[in-house]
Amino acid sequence: MQLVVARIGRAHGIKGEVTVEVRTDEPELRLGPGAVLATDPAGAGPLTIETGRVHSGRLLLRFEGVSDRSGAEALRNTLLIAEIDPEELPEGEDEYYDHQLMDLDVVTADGIEVGRITEISHLPSQDLFIVERPDGSEVMIPFVEEIVTEIDLEEQKAVVNPPPGLIDDRAEIASSRDDSGQEES
């Protein structure tokens, strides 16, 4: 099975290094020196990582055979893809690969069907489940512990406890003002 682990950004310096947008929770495992990665577009690879380092909070990689800025710049926006065993699980107990979550049924804690996960969107602040509802509409559910309370891979379901208004239009309006204690002037 193939897993996108990074996207190549702009060239860094003149010796072939590139910035990388990491898309894996295990960069030390997937993006270490010697790793051979497939690419999208396929014509750019495969690429073998020669060196890697962190500079100003960004991962910089250099690939074998890429020794100058123009070669590095030609790789911009290329996706780096690792081949993984489909049975392999992430190291963390509450971590999942996207392919494990795709097509899970989404239900509320009291058993009401919400829909099926059709996409996972990775945003800087959090990940989102894109859930197709039975009527064909979509709802976005933040993949955070307070809302997604359980992932059961054996039962192929995700249990959610959505706040009012997230999956329906029955939002509760809460106000910090207390009109009863106000005096008229």
Side-chain angles (χ1 to χ4, degrees):
M1 162 167 281
Q2 295 189 320
L3 179 71
V4 174
V5 293
R7 183 184 65 81
I8 298 175
R10 66 181 189 277
H12 180 83
I14 61 170
K15 296 184 179 180
E17 284 186 313
V18 294
T19 61
V20 184
E21 174 190 313
V22 177
R23 294 190 180 173
T24 176
D25 290 336
E26 304 164 318
E28 63 287 340
L29 177 65
R30 308 279 180 217
L31 299 171
V36 179
L37 302 166
T39 60
D40 182 9
L47 294 172
T48 301
I49 297 174
E50 187 174 293
T51 64
R53 66 185 178 103
V54 177
H55 175 72
S56 298
R58 299 228 40 164
L59 179 60
L60 302 178
L61 296 178
R62 183 182 338 217
F63 300 101
E64 289 180 7
V66 179
S67 58
D68 61 14
R69 185 174 184 86
S70 61
E73 195 59 45
L75 295 173
R76 190 175 197 155
N77 292 323
T78 298
L79 296 177
L80 298 175
I81 303 166
E83 188 68 38
I84 64 163
D85 180 345
E87 301 300 314
E88 181 181 331
L89 298 176
E91 291 178 1
E93 183 179 320
D94 290 331
E95 294 178 1
Y96 304 93
Y97 291 131
D98 287 3
H99 71 270
Q100 294 176 292
L101 301 172
M102 292 298 292
D103 292 324
L104 291 185
D105 293 324
V106 179
V107 297
T108 61
D110 52 1
I112 298 171
E113 179 186 7
V114 176
R116 173 181 69 80
I117 298 172
T118 57
E119 185 181 338
I120 299 163
S121 181
H122 300 281
L123 303 175
S125 58
Q126 67 195 14
D127 295 336
L128 287 176
F129 289 160
I130 310 301
V131 177
E132 184 178 315
R133 304 198 65 178
D135 65 5
S137 64
E138 288 184 338
V139 62
M140 291 183 270
I141 299 177
F143 186 22
V144 294
E145 193 174 336
E146 296 79 25
I147 297 173
V148 180
T149 58
E150 179 186 354
I151 298 289
D152 187 335
L153 296 178
E154 286 186 21
E155 294 287 324
Q156 287 291 288
K157 71 178 180 179
V159 179
V160 296
N161 183 20
L166 181 66
I167 59 173
D168 57 33
D169 56 5
R170 296 185 304 262
E172 295 177 10
I173 307 299
S175 174
S176 60
R177 285 190 277 173
D178 183 8
D179 293 335
S180 64
Q182 302 226 349
E183 294 180 26
E184 291 185 23
S185 28

